[in-house]
Amino acid sequence: MVLLQMEAPRHSPVEFVARYYVYAKETERKTGIDARFILAQAALESGWGASAPGYLFFGIKAGPNTPGNRRQLVRTREVHATANKKFPEILSIKKMKSGKYEYIVRDWFRKYDTPEESFSDHARLLIGNERYAKALNEKHDPYRFAEAIAKAGYATHPFYATTLKNVIRMVEKYAPPGE
């Protein structure tokens, strides 16, 4: 999934890392999930902050029990195997060469008051969801963890792990020295 709604200024990679690395490092301290992975996933899911309305860095969908003040309707791209998926609002559906379908939709996502809330919620999702239990065995290696969470179905993009690993390399380039 790629959030398409542009409500915040896009940060350069160096600015994004400088601004949000502290949240990723704190999450690593609490969970053991490598900070480079966490920050790279935040950068990828939000377009380096450009598509992060309500600090929606990780593209976490709102569920039916998410309170109204903690949810927002956001334009996004989804890739699915069928042409009959349901969303609150479907803007377009296009069959791809792969045989899958690209959806441009508006769907419900979580909303946060601070970056820290977003990073903490993302950690709770990874740690508390049985879907990612096996992937957590790789949490200390950002590249292997990217492969594992993609395999577990974190996102619908067919090349999610490859793209995420490329972003991890960019994060490593700008991470504070000694990290």
Side-chain angles (χ1 to χ4, degrees), residues 26-69:
E26 179 61 16
T27 301
E28 177 185 62
R29 187 189 66 74
K30 292 176 185 174
T31 66
I33 299 170
D34 192 287
R36 296 169 296 172
F37 167 85
I38 296 164
L39 195 58
Q41 193 172 37
L44 175 60
E45 291 289 333
S46 71
W48 297 98
S51 298
Y55 296 109
L56 181 62
F57 290 115
F58 299 97
I60 299 174
K61 296 215 174 163
N65 297 326
T66 305
N69 67 335

Side-chain angles (χ1 to χ4, degrees), residues 3 17 19 21 58-59 66-67 70 85-86 99 103-104 141 143 154 162 165:
L3 299 179
V17 171
R19 186 169 187 166
Y21 189 80
F58 299 97
T66 305
R70 295 307 225 178
K85 296 294 283 185
K86 302 288 183 214
Y103 289 77
I104 303 298
D141 181 321
Y143 297 97
Y154 188 91
T162 300
K165 289 187 287 185

Side-chain angles (χ1 to χ4, degrees), residues 3 5-9 20 46 49-60 69-74 109-119 121:
L3 299 179
Q5 185 167 329
M6 306 296 240
E7 290 197 8
Y20 298 111
S46 71
S51 298
Y55 296 109
L56 181 62
F57 290 115
F58 299 97
I60 299 174
N69 67 335
R70 295 307 225 178
R71 53 192 288 141
Q72 56 189 333
L73 201 56
V74 176
F109 288 85
R110 295 185 189 177
K111 181 170 66 171
Y112 307 95
D113 292 332
T114 66
E116 191 280 327
E117 284 181 7
S118 179
F119 279 76
D121 193 39

